[in-house]
Amino acid sequence: MKKFIIQVNGPAYGSTSSYKALQYCQAVIAAGHQIEKVFFYQDGVTNSSSLNCPANDEVNLHQLWLTLANEHNVPLINCVSAALRRGMLSQQDANESNKAQWNVNAPFVMGGLGELVTGIEQADRFVSF
């Protein structure tokens, strides 16, 4: 069994990279391997917004990431700097910034690049989308 770290740089919509990353994660798990964590960076942090509202006939990437995390115990980590720049706030971030609302909820959590580096050191494979 191999351990994978996945980095998602592409936005939830407007690019296929996030959807391809999700499909890759599903294939890795189906092949009997483990996803150590998915790290959302740059525009990839938009996947964490609970306010994404795709049309009924479109793929709901946010919901699919939640399903992956909950069914397979995969940590979903947002780069906190990239997230805050793009308006992706956890409840704690909203409180600290005196904002009335937030749009990032568990199982997505905020983290730093150190978590990515530590994960890469512990993993067998690092794949970026």
Side-chain angles (χ1 to χ4, degrees):
M1 176 175 69
K2 301 251 189 240
K3 296 177 183 178
F4 287 75
I5 297 290
I6 308 300
Q7 180 175 318
V8 180
N9 299 322
Y13 298 98
S15 158
T16 60
S17 62
S18 178
Y19 185 64
K20 287 179 182 179
L22 177 70
Q23 289 180 311
Y24 187 82
C25 289
Q26 292 167 334
V28 164
I29 291 168
H33 302 295
Q34 181 177 350
I35 304 290
E36 287 291 304
K37 64 181 72 172
V38 179
F39 189 82
F40 296 89
Y41 189 54
Q42 298 173 337
D43 287 341
V45 298
T46 64
N47 287 276
S48 68
S49 177
S50 61
L51 299 178
N52 285 340
C53 296
N56 289 338
D57 62 343
E58 294 178 354
V59 172
N60 186 334
L61 281 172
H62 178 77
Q63 186 58 52
L64 291 174
W65 284 116
L66 295 179
T67 300
L68 180 85
N70 292 327
E71 288 181 1
H72 302 287
N73 199 30
V74 175
L76 304 177
I77 313 295
N78 258 354
C79 173
V80 66
S81 297
L84 294 177
R85 276 189 224 104
R86 290 164 176 83
M88 303 296 118
L89 282 78
S90 67
Q91 183 176 7
Q92 179 180 342
D93 296 320
N95 291 340
E96 290 173 359
S97 301
N98 294 318
K99 302 291 182 185
Q101 300 297 320
W102 59 91
N103 57 347
V104 176
N105 299 306
F108 286 93
V109 297
M110 299 295 193
L113 286 175
E115 287 198 49
L116 176 63
V117 172
T118 302
I120 290 170
E121 290 174 345
Q122 297 169 349
D124 300 304
R125 301 278 188 272
F126 169 67
V127 183
S128 180
F129 290 86

